[in-house]
Amino acid sequence: MNNAHCNASPSKEELNTLLGVAHMSICMWDVDDGATIPTTDEPLMEGDAEDYFTGKLAGTVGPFTELNPPVNPFTITPAPTTDPAAGASAAASGDQSQRG
């Protein structure tokens, strides 16, 4: 990525470093260095796609779509409203009464 810039105040950034035929850009958010992890829908890095990436490597550019949000392991999952075991036993006892 050329002419890159990081959004959301990263703790470390290395932008537009030339590596042979293309540029390298890095944005890092390290909480140990006091950075806050970005939580908005704003892109983390923006810039221009390299001709080498889109031409020679046949890469594509554009926003990612339909990404699943990260799961918070500390969120309590609500209990089901019906007991699955009771539903299965009720169905089984109903089947037996129809046979008799």
Side-chain angles (χ1 to χ4, degrees), residues 17-39:
T17 305
L18 186 59
L19 293 175
V21 296
H23 289 86
M24 177 186 73
S25 297
I26 298 172
C27 302
M28 293 176 61
W29 292 264
D30 190 345
V31 293
D32 291 336
D33 292 334
T36 302
I37 303 299
T39 58

Side-chain angles (χ1 to χ4, degrees), residues 2 9 14 16 27 41 45 47 57-60 70 84 86 92 98-99:
N2 192 15
S9 302
E14 294 179 25
N16 304 315
C27 302
D41 290 336
M45 180 189 296
L57 299 178
T60 59
Q98 290 175 355
R99 291 183 196 161

